[in-house]
Amino acid sequence: MSQQHAAVNGGLPNGKVLTLESMNPNVKKVEYAVRGPIVQRAVQLEKELREGAKKPFTEVIRANIGDAHAMGQKPITFLRQVLALCAYPDLLEDNKFPEDAKQRARRILGACGGQSIGAYSASPGIECVRQDVARYIEKRDGGIPSNPDNIYLSTGASDAIVTMLKLMICGEGAGRTGVMISIPQYPLYSAALADLGAVQINYYLDEDKCWSLDLKELKRAVDEARKHCNPRAICIINPGNPTGQVQSRECIEEVIRFAKEEHLFLMADEVYQDNVYADGCKFHSFKKVLFEMGPEYSSTVELASFHSTSKCYMGECGFRGGYMEIINMDPEVKAQLTKLVSVRLCPPVPGQALLDLVVNPPQSDEPSHGTFIKERSAVLAALAEKARMTGEMFNTIPGITCNPVQGAMYTFPRISLPQKAIDKAKEEGKVPDMYYCMRLLEEEGICLVPGSGFGQREGTYHFRMTILPPAEKLKIVLEKIKTFHLRFIKEFS
């Protein structure tokens, strides 16, 4: 190959076509802290322990990611029974399985090509599952209609969120699309915006008011952004990740008014909607509030809301089930959305089957109802207790302050670090809370995610920890963090 051809391909003579210099520059800007350097080191440490290396701990406890089953949560029996029947239909003849599980499996298989979950489905998802999702939303929202044609099933909620962002990001220079995201945020958003070359518009949650949204802060963020980009969307995570707050109805109304006034597309990430623990807190869906505000809003504000099988009481992350509902989308754009999802053929069909069971669980007159309710309630009650225990424990440690975990699966405590520790971190080329979390991992075997991976106000430091480990193990984690923190503070005082 000539040097001229090599140059055209972006590679070096006799070198690779694809190099760090010639690859997509946006991909290099992508960061995803939840599976970043700390987690990679945790994997390495686990390997070293297996090979007999001596460490100050005997196991690595991963409290970095909301992966319920990996943390020891047991699957819900009914969900797995139906999935087993769908995966191996010969079991439909087995009398160990209850009749309602068999009925669900037959209905799902009947909607699949060749009566197999190994067949592709329609690109927006299996029709009867979308109908069940619409009925679930109607019931959840007190009878406000939901149209199955506005439901798109997805590979977890993440896939749907990225698809929506892809639809709306365009323009160059000062006309480039800007998307408002909360800080702290779930790094899917910053990663997707970097990948798509969009402008990230940060609005800060108020830590002093339990991570609440502030209208003045939203206005400040959008006004500043209009000077250098074209703000087109606002993303809200409710209940919050990583911050665990549950937004009040009044707050949701303010956001909807703001979206209308500023002509923004509203994206509501509601994957933790069943995870609400604090007294006086309640989940309000953006769609329900939107329609209760009347036609001035319900017929104009464009909304996409997202849900998933990965969180709540299910914790079925690996099946990658999810959906989005779109409201007030231009019909011509909706046709483009349908085209875009068809390129990926379809979401995983086992994930679609699982989603159907989540939105259409055993009813009170069915044999599996009692066990289902008992298991569901036990999971949510255990999470509520662990949320309380975590917040209380952190607030007894000098130099750590923690807002109540009102919902979701995480706590996001603030850590006060001595100046000497901050200087030491900078000397090692690390962000201070990354240095703190890496030391915690090396010394105690606890894997957390530094707050810098989610965004935080300048001069503040945090970490995110999931509340998913079993209560006894969670107590050990909290004790180890306390021991480490006191030792760390003493070292740098």
Side-chain angles (χ1 to χ4, degrees):
M1 180 168 88
S2 71
Q3 287 198 11
Q4 186 182 1
H5 281 141
V8 168
N9 282 341
L12 298 168
N14 306 318
K16 302 285 187 189
V17 172
L18 190 60
T19 67
L20 204 55
E21 289 71 35
S22 68
M23 70 176 285
N24 181 342
N26 287 343
V27 174
K28 289 189 280 187
K29 294 175 191 167
V30 170
E31 289 186 12
Y32 189 64
V34 172
R35 295 198 174 201
I38 294 250
V39 183
Q40 288 158 21
R41 179 61 186 143
V43 171
Q44 223 175 339
L45 286 170
E46 285 171 334
K47 187 169 180 251
E48 289 172 22
L49 283 170
R50 281 196 302 273
E51 289 167 354
K54 291 283 175 268
K55 302 286 177 191
F57 46 86
T58 55
E59 66 170 332
V60 173
I61 301 175
R62 295 206 207 181
N64 61 296
I65 195 165
D67 190 352
H69 292 191
M71 291 282 104
Q73 183 179 307
K74 294 283 180 279
I76 301 293
T77 303
F78 181 76
L79 305 185
R80 289 300 183 91
Q81 283 176 330
V82 181
L83 288 169
L85 291 164
C86 288
Y88 189 56
D90 286 6
L91 293 174
L92 287 163
E93 307 307 316
D94 192 324
N95 60 13
K96 291 193 191 79
F97 289 82
E99 195 50 45
D100 52 349
K102 290 181 179 180
Q103 284 170 355
R104 292 291 199 293
R106 288 189 192 104
R107 180 170 177 263
I108 291 164
L109 289 169
C112 294
Q115 299 212 333
S116 169
I117 58 168
Y120 288 132
S121 75
S123 295
I126 298 168
E127 189 174 351
C128 73
V129 178
R130 290 161 67 214
Q131 288 167 352
D132 286 348
V133 169
R135 276 192 284 270
Y136 162 83
I137 292 170
E138 269 184 30
K139 186 179 177 186
R140 180 198 69 188
D141 292 344
I144 292 163
S146 177
N147 183 347
D149 288 342
N150 291 335
I151 307 292
Y152 288 79
L153 307 190
S154 57
T155 308
S158 304
D159 172 50
I161 290 164
V162 173
T163 298
M164 280 308 308
L165 290 171
K166 197 176 278 189
L167 265 190
M168 66 179 71
I169 290 169
C170 64
E172 297 296 332
R176 190 68 178 153
T177 296
V179 178
M180 299 182 70
I181 65 170
S182 62
I183 299 294
Q185 53 103 22
Y186 175 50
L188 162 73
Y189 290 91
S190 53
L193 295 177
D195 184 24
L196 296 167
V199 178
Q200 178 178 317
I201 305 169
N202 295 341
Y203 65 88
Y204 289 88
L205 301 175
D206 189 343
E207 184 170 11
D208 294 334
K209 293 183 179 171
C210 213
W211 299 111
S212 65
L213 271 163
D214 178 64
L215 198 58
K216 284 186 200 149
E217 171 59 13
L218 292 180
K219 190 75 181 128
R220 176 207 64 76
V222 80
D223 287 347
E224 279 186 21
R226 288 200 194 283
K227 296 171 190 170
H228 60 87
C229 70
N230 176 22
R232 302 185 74 197
I234 179 169
C235 302
I236 310 282
I237 308 174
N238 181 48
N241 174 11
T243 43
Q245 85 286 9
V246 178
Q247 301 295 355
S248 68
R249 186 194 166 88
E250 294 69 32
C251 178
I252 292 170
E253 286 181 7
E254 283 183 348
V255 171
I256 290 169
R257 286 190 201 99
F258 173 79
K260 179 175 165 55
E261 285 161 16
E262 299 293 339
H263 201 56
L264 298 171
F265 195 109
L266 186 50
M267 295 175 63
D269 180 339
E270 298 175 334
V271 302
Y272 297 99
Q273 57 190 257
D274 289 336
N275 299 112
V276 177
Y277 317 121
D279 290 341
C281 288
K282 186 183 175 190
F283 171 73
H284 300 277
S285 80
F286 266 83
K287 184 192 174 185
K288 183 173 193 280
V289 176
L290 175 68
F291 276 78
E292 288 176 350
M293 287 171 73
E296 180 191 351
Y297 297 95
S298 63
S299 63
T300 58
V301 174
E302 293 155 84
L303 168 70
S305 54
F306 308 92
H307 195 16
S308 164
T309 60
S310 300
K311 309 302 176 185
C312 299
Y313 63 92
M314 304 83 71
E316 294 278 11
C317 305
F319 279 98
R320 312 306 299 129
Y323 74 78
M324 69 173 164
E325 181 183 30
I326 53 167
I327 304 294
N328 293 324
M329 181 176 273
D330 181 301
E332 290 181 338
V333 175
K334 191 177 168 191
Q336 295 295 319
L337 170 60
T338 302
K339 178 184 76 176
L340 186 59
V341 300
S342 71
V343 174
R344 295 188 186 180
L345 296 173
C346 70
V349 175
Q352 295 185 51
L354 175 65
L355 177 66
D356 191 58
L357 308 173
V358 171
V359 298
N360 182 23
Q363 301 305 301
S364 56
D365 59 347
E366 293 182 310
S368 299
H369 183 260
T371 303
F372 173 80
I373 292 297
K374 185 180 167 188
E375 291 177 347
R376 180 185 186 275
S377 302
V379 169
L380 294 173
L383 285 169
E385 172 55 25
K386 289 187 285 187
R388 183 199 60 75
M389 178 172 76
T390 304
E392 284 181 6
M393 174 66 163
F394 278 138
N395 284 319
T396 67
I397 305 172
I400 296 184
T401 51
C402 185
N403 274 313
V405 183
Q406 297 176 336
M409 295 178 170
Y410 315 97
T411 179
F412 197 68
R414 183 169 172 172
I415 47 177
S416 299
L417 299 179
Q419 188 58 46
K420 285 181 184 172
I422 294 167
D423 294 342
K424 177 70 174 168
K426 286 176 181 168
E427 195 183 299
E428 294 199 6
K430 291 189 177 82
V431 181
D433 52 15
M434 168 66 89
Y435 175 70
Y436 178 95
C437 288
M438 196 62 92
R439 285 277 304 266
L440 173 65
L441 175 62
E442 296 286 355
E443 293 173 29
E444 299 289 346
I446 305 295
C447 182
L448 307 178
V449 191
S452 47
F454 301 90
Q456 54 199 349
R457 282 200 181 274
E458 190 69 33
T460 68
Y461 305 106
H462 302 78
F463 59 76
R464 187 188 82 163
M465 185 188 89
T466 177
I467 61 169
L468 288 171
E472 289 312 307
K473 190 164 271 193
L474 186 61
K475 284 177 191 166
I476 294 166
V477 170
L478 293 168
E479 280 297 335
K480 280 176 170 261
I481 293 171
K482 181 178 182 178
T483 304
F484 166 80
H485 182 81
L486 296 175
R487 189 172 68 236
F488 185 88
I489 296 301
K490 189 177 176 186
E491 180 185 338
F492 290 104
S493 292

